[in-house]
Amino acid sequence: MNKDENTGARYLVNANDSRFTVQAFAEGMFSAFGHDPVIVIRDFAGEAQCAQEGVLEGASLKMTIKAESLAVADNVSDKDRREIERLMHSEVLETEKYPDIIFQSASVSASRLARGRYRVRMIGDLSLHGVTNNGLWVYAKVVVDENGLRADGEFSLQQTDYGIKPYSAAGGTIKVKNELKFSFDIVAGKQ
């Protein structure tokens, strides 16, 4: 192969160097006394592939999250943390029945901002709680260098789109809004 030929690239997500969180929002009569919980996603893996090294247009991404790895990141008492996590795993996400959350890109478009810097829009399929929905839009800023890439961005989803009933307690006076906001700072090494 000629050293000037541009070949594809494969990147593997490094969860230890990455950050992936979910922000829920309280609502209801007593929401002012509650808080908007931040959930950290601890166990995830992923692979991005580019047909040409350094060209993100038309790339692909597949990520898998272990649903049981979601944990409360807020500074709350151990008792409250255990109860929130128990409810999240057993009643909201039903992690024993639906252990994996999977995102598979269907379309990736990128605008080059500067050398090695891009604004990326991914549209893909998200499988969550036994439901797969097409057309989840994810926006990110991506930096690519000879060692790998770093992507930071955010996206939102509606829990009810995935058959999840937003959490409610105390006769509906304490509730979690339907919309969840995800933010990420993902580091992936070149393979």
Side-chain angles (χ1 to χ4, degrees):
M1 177 187 331
N2 182 328
K3 70 178 186 177
D4 295 329
E5 287 182 31
N6 201 356
T7 59
R10 180 175 170 242
Y11 304 90
L12 292 182
V13 170
N14 180 337
N16 291 330
D17 292 337
S18 301
R19 178 191 51 80
F20 202 167
T21 60
V22 183
Q23 175 78 60
F25 301 96
E27 69 177 352
M29 185 186 312
F30 295 116
S31 64
F33 301 107
H35 70 288
D36 296 333
V38 175
I39 307 298
V40 64
I41 302 169
R42 294 188 173 146
D43 188 357
F44 56 94
E47 179 178 326
Q49 293 189 346
C50 302
Q52 293 183 313
E53 186 172 341
V55 177
L56 298 182
E57 187 75 31
S60 67
L61 172 70
K62 181 174 183 180
M63 292 216 30
T64 302
I65 296 167
K66 295 297 181 188
E68 66 187 15
S69 78
L70 277 68
V72 176
D74 296 334
N75 189 15
V76 296
S77 72
D78 286 342
K79 178 185 175 197
D80 287 346
R81 179 182 317 280
R82 283 191 303 272
E83 181 62 11
I84 293 168
E85 290 176 359
R86 183 191 70 76
L87 290 168
M88 176 174 57
H89 294 289
S90 66
E91 295 182 24
V92 178
L93 293 174
E94 300 179 88
T95 57
E96 285 190 25
K97 190 173 181 182
Y98 308 109
D100 294 326
I101 301 166
I102 300 170
F103 175 80
Q104 175 67 59
S105 65
S107 169
V108 176
S109 59
S111 301
R112 184 176 171 186
L113 302 173
R115 181 181 172 123
R117 296 182 178 276
Y118 302 86
R119 180 174 291 121
V120 174
R121 181 193 73 195
M122 284 183 285
I123 304 171
D125 303 333
L126 180 67
S127 297
L128 168 64
H129 196 249
V131 175
T132 299
N133 279 324
N134 310 77
L136 179 68
W137 291 52
V138 179
Y139 293 94
K141 291 179 283 177
V142 179
V143 176
V144 181
D145 63 26
E146 64 277 356
N147 299 315
L149 63 82
R150 182 175 208 131
D152 72 280
E154 57 187 35
F155 63 94
S156 297
L157 63 80
Q158 302 291 318
Q159 295 180 76
T160 53
D161 289 348
Y162 296 89
I164 298 172
K165 182 179 176 187
Y167 178 74
S168 178
T173 58
I174 300 172
K175 298 190 276 189
V176 172
K177 289 184 179 180
N178 191 20
E179 181 180 30
L180 299 175
K181 291 195 178 194
F182 293 74
S183 65
F184 56 88
D185 183 2
I186 303 292
V187 175
K190 187 175 174 187
Q191 300 300 303

